[in-house]
Amino acid sequence: MFKAGANDTTKGAFLFDDAAAQSVMAAANAHSVDLMVDLEHLSLDQESRSYDPDARAWLSLEVRPGPELWAVNVRWTDDGARRLPAKTQRYISPAFAVDDENRVIEIVNIALTAM
């Protein structure tokens, strides 16, 4: 999900370093539950007309040397698994929090997206 160093996106560059890895894993461990993969970030805005709280997969996070952040132990729901070979969605997009230096500090969830 994040490589070591600066991760350039359409919303700017976000830093994933040792401090980010520590923060992300501390936040994940504090929640003590798997992270959800939703569809197009539709579970994040309960006021949206398109609100969809259903998970398309469940996963855990793992920091690997670099440091890099990986999604592991991904378990797809029937709907999530159906979308991948059909290619209705084929990308992932993490929703995350950052600090004042644009360092990633928490993963909120991950979306299965078409863009």
Side-chain angles (χ1 to χ4, degrees):
M1 292 186 347
F2 288 97
K3 66 178 183 168
N7 289 260
D8 294 321
T9 75
T10 58
K11 296 182 180 178
F14 298 97
L15 177 62
F16 195 81
D17 59 6
D18 289 327
Q22 251 183 347
S23 293
V24 165
M25 293 310 292
N29 291 333
H31 293 294
S32 298
V33 296
D34 290 330
L35 283 174
M36 80 173 300
V37 175
D38 71 1
L39 183 63
E40 303 285 351
H41 295 294
L42 296 176
S43 72
L44 299 180
D45 183 3
Q46 294 181 12
E47 302 302 316
S48 169
R49 292 178 57 202
S50 300
Y51 175 67
D52 181 351
D54 293 344
R56 293 334 193 266
W58 298 97
L59 60 86
S60 301
L61 298 176
E62 180 178 285
V63 174
R64 294 185 180 172
E68 297 177 343
L69 186 64
W70 286 71
V72 298
N73 194 25
V74 180
R75 291 153 337 269
W76 294 100
T77 65
D78 290 342
D79 184 56
R82 177 188 62 77
R83 290 172 182 278
L84 296 172
K87 296 186 178 159
T88 55
Q89 281 80 23
R90 58 184 277 205
Y91 302 106
I92 62 163
S93 173
F96 54 95
V98 297
D99 65 13
D100 291 340
E101 298 175 339
N102 268 4
R103 177 178 287 113
V104 179
I105 58 170
E106 181 179 10
I107 304 300
V108 176
N109 80 351
I110 299 154
L112 184 59
T113 67
M115 293 181 62

